[in-house]
Amino acid sequence: MRKVGILGGMGPEPAQALLERIKTAAKTGRRSEDVPLVVDLDTKLPSLVDGDGADPLPVLVDMAKRMQEFGAEALAMPCNASHQFAGELAAAVDIPLLDMVLLTSKTACAAARKGEKVGVLGSPALQETGIFDAAINACGGEAVYPEDSDMLLDAIREIRATGPTPSVRNKVVQASHNLIWQGAHVQLMGCTEFSLLERALDPGAVKVDPLDVLAQAIVRFSRDQAA
């Protein structure tokens, strides 16, 4: 079993949720083959959602280097927006990044019917990066976003302040309805805070959860299996 380093601190709850999903994904029959992990929850990491102007890249690079020093053979980040720095992180270390954005986009494209759009539920900052647009276009799809992105930003802030409340769920459900209206039945949770919510999509939506996709990729890598 190969060791994987988890770069956290971009909201502790998604990182904790990822660990639980790795444990679930690692179960084989009635037994669990625990995946060796190194986890860094660096609270000094600037927020990408709020866009306060601070550059998170130096902190991310330091975290990645620490992970490699601690024996990690691959890296993973339970934060979609941070993947705008995937190239810089890959250049800073000698181990691969299990790219959650690319893996999730491929999963969403495979779930969508030919010519169907893929809905992305995330912050305005995520949309501005264009990382999902590029990844989904690369696998033959088209990304679309809810028209009221500020409502989703409010939802993310509310989750971080008070947890996954019914108020947050209602905001995300409204955004999901809007994506259905735009023709996007396959919808991915572009903010991992939304992965903490249950039944937060339109009943007609097909959910693609990046934390589930990443957890499965981590288990495959640890077992030295093909992605």
Side-chain angles (χ1 to χ4, degrees):
M1 300 285 278
R2 296 186 289 181
K3 186 183 295 183
V4 177
I6 309 295
L7 281 67
M10 296 149 262
E13 290 84 3
Q16 293 167 4
L18 176 63
L19 298 181
E20 288 298 320
R21 297 186 194 198
I22 292 171
K23 183 176 180 180
T24 299
K27 288 182 178 179
T28 304
R30 294 186 177 181
R31 68 189 187 93
S32 175
E33 296 181 56
D34 290 332
V35 174
L37 301 169
V38 183
V39 182
D40 190 344
L41 296 174
D42 195 325
T43 58
K44 296 178 293 185
L45 191 66
S47 172
L48 288 165
V49 171
D50 292 317
D52 57 10
D55 184 5
L57 181 57
V59 181
L60 287 170
V61 168
D62 285 344
M63 293 169 72
K65 289 180 177 178
R66 285 199 297 270
M67 295 293 96
Q68 183 169 329
E69 291 173 0
F70 293 154
E73 296 177 70
L75 301 174
M77 287 191 296
C79 173
N80 291 295
S82 295
H83 281 71
Q84 65 187 280
F85 304 111
E88 290 90 338
L89 286 175
V93 293
D94 301 319
I95 54 178
L97 171 69
L98 303 178
D99 194 312
M100 183 169 68
V101 167
L102 293 180
L103 292 166
T104 304
S105 296
K106 289 178 180 178
T107 301
C109 286
R113 294 188 293 269
K114 185 176 181 179
E116 186 179 36
K117 298 173 183 178
V118 174
V120 181
L121 293 155
S123 69
L126 177 73
Q127 185 174 352
E128 289 170 7
T129 67
I131 54 176
F132 272 112
D133 296 82
I136 291 171
N137 286 344
C139 61
E142 178 186 353
V144 293
Y145 300 82
E147 294 173 325
D148 190 350
S149 58
D150 288 339
M151 179 175 64
L152 287 181
L153 179 57
D154 291 341
I156 295 167
R157 288 170 172 164
E158 191 173 338
I159 289 176
R160 292 183 174 181
T162 60
T165 63
S167 171
V168 172
R169 178 184 176 276
N170 289 338
K171 289 183 174 72
V172 179
V173 168
Q174 288 182 50
S176 177
H177 291 334
N178 181 257
L179 289 175
I180 292 286
W181 178 79
Q182 294 186 61
H185 289 80
V186 173
Q187 301 179 7
L188 61 85
M189 311 305 261
C191 176
T192 46
E193 270 83 4
F194 295 157
S195 297
L196 307 176
L197 299 168
E198 295 183 3
R199 298 184 301 280
L201 297 182
D202 183 286
V206 176
K207 179 181 177 181
V208 179
D209 193 323
L211 288 187
D212 288 334
V213 174
L214 183 59
Q216 292 160 8
I218 288 170
V219 172
R220 288 195 300 269
F221 176 88
S222 182
R223 291 175 177 168
D224 199 15
Q225 297 173 345

